[in-house]
Amino acid sequence: MAREKAVVVGAGGISNAWFGPLVQEEVNVAAVVDLRLEAARGQIEKYGLSAEASTDLKAMLEKHRPDFAVDLTIPESHCSVTCAALEAGCHVVSEKPMASGMEEARKMVRAAEKTGRMYMVSQSRRWDARHKSIQEAVARGRIGELTTVDCGFYLGAHFGGFRDEMPSPLILDMAIHHFDLVRYMAGADPVAVYAKEFNPKGSWYKGDAAALCIFEMTDGVMFAYRGSWCSEGCHTDWNGNWRFVGASGSILYEQGEAPRGQAVAGDTGFNRPLNDFQVSLSEVAREGMHGGLGEMLNYLRTGAVPQTECHDNIKSLAMVFAAIESSRTGQRVPVMAME
Ligand SMILES: NC(=O)c1ccc[n+]([C@@H]2O[C@H](COP(=O)([O-])OP(=O)(O)OC[C@H]3O[C@@H](n4cnc5c(N)ncnc54)[C@H](O)[C@@H]3O)[C@@H](O)[C@H]2O)c1
């Protein structure tokens, strides 16, 4: 097949994680678009691309007619950029989070339906061998029927900049990763949430940088999420520390180490006899952002639907906004992806 042609929109920090894989996969990057022309030019030079730099997305889509667009802009721009690319007839892979609000996200899903183009969101943490291994072990019934999932995430993150000023920095900017991961690893979708956001004493954030959330998931699975971005000392891994409890065993995944577990091995005693096990590590061909790009290329080559196709990924975003709504109202809030 001829090399796939792409237009990349957004030449900021995260584009450094995308240009390497784009070059490695020999994608023909025809244009790099950014509101800041110098940023687009800088990345073209840095990665040795023979691409055109521009501030005009529509003109680049019309001129180059790419197979797909890569949307690496800020969340507030995702809706306009992605909809423009879909309407110009190309498929889109975009950075997370899908949008900065549910109305925009629903509009984007409808744009994909109307144009018949593929729109997928890259959730880089899905393409990680440890996470795939847990997903497979749970799905295989290694710990029996899954009942409970717990994730704790504690960092003392002194970013400076916009995160220090924004409302709900933890839930909006970070928890989308953990919420998407629980859906992936547990194989369950969100039903409703009770949540409380708060800003701990001594916080250097203006908005609530910590939260406690209880999600009801499909098949009766309960998910407890405890997170903080202003917790000094004894930090967790960026992926968080996880516990999966099933009817006949548990899996622990902590500090980014290989996941391990214990399963019931007899039916006597106050604590049942237990066998230790290691969760066997699965293969992931391409990791992180390369994994997201790989799913788009695979779609173009074989028609296989990416796992983070927009109708699926909007469920992860809906967890974010339902948690914020629950905290604001003090009520249990149903998680509604499409209305
Ligand atoms: N997967 C991850 O782990 C991860 C990590 C960091 C950032 N991200 C995501 O990547 C996205 C970008 O983050 P970043 O850190 O690169 O931000 P950034 O601010 O460094 O870069 C964004 C770029 O987009 C450009 N831009 C904004 N609106 C535009 C528009 N309408 N048209 C053209 N260009 C536009 C800006 O000028 C800027 O150069 C965000 O959605 C963020 O959440 C993901």
Side-chain angles (χ1 to χ4, degrees), residues 136-265:
E136 288 173 350
V138 169
R140 269 203 323 271
R142 189 71 184 81
I143 54 173
E145 205 177 338
L146 186 68
T147 65
T148 315
V149 185
D150 181 277
C151 174
F153 171 77
Y154 291 94
L155 285 182
H158 293 261
F159 293 103
F162 75 94
R163 290 185 186 83
D164 288 9
E165 305 298 322
M166 70 189 280
S168 305
L170 175 82
I171 294 284
L172 266 179
D173 203 55
M174 185 64 210
I176 180 74
H177 285 296
H178 303 121
F179 294 172
D180 186 67
L181 272 183
V182 73
R183 292 187 49 239
Y184 175 55
M185 295 194 286
D189 279 332
V191 174
V193 61
Y194 311 78
K196 176 70 186 157
E197 291 183 278
F198 60 104
N199 209 16
K201 285 183 190 129
S203 171
W204 50 95
Y205 292 82
K206 201 162 166 188
D208 288 340
L212 300 170
C213 310
I214 301 170
F215 283 95
E216 298 166 31
M217 309 287 285
T218 47
D219 295 328
V221 172
M222 295 298 296
F223 171 49
Y225 180 70
R226 300 161 287 114
S228 174
W229 244 349
C230 64
S231 162
E232 297 288 26
C234 303
H235 297 152
T236 64
D237 187 78
W238 277 87
N239 288 322
N241 284 348
W242 293 77
R243 176 184 287 263
F244 296 80
V245 185
S248 59
S250 295
I251 291 173
L252 283 182
Y253 168 49
E254 293 179 333
Q255 300 306 113
E257 287 170 7
R260 63 199 159 85
Q262 289 190 320
V264 171

Side-chain angles (χ1 to χ4, degrees), residues 5-7 30 60-69 88-91:
K5 195 194 281 187
V7 163
M60 290 300 101
L61 293 171
E62 223 162 84
K63 178 171 173 187
H64 295 289
R65 306 218 157 270
D67 298 300
F68 68 106
C90 46
H91 306 295

Side-chain angles (χ1 to χ4, degrees), residues 9-15 33-36 39 72-75 77-78 80-81 95-97 124-125 173 177 289:
V9 197
I14 206 62
S15 70
V33 179
D34 199 293
L35 298 176
R36 301 176 299 128
L72 308 180
T73 62
I74 54 174
S77 298
H78 286 173
S80 61
V81 166
E95 259 299 348
K96 53 56 64 177
S124 54
R125 286 168 204 274
D173 203 55
H177 285 296
M289 283 66 180

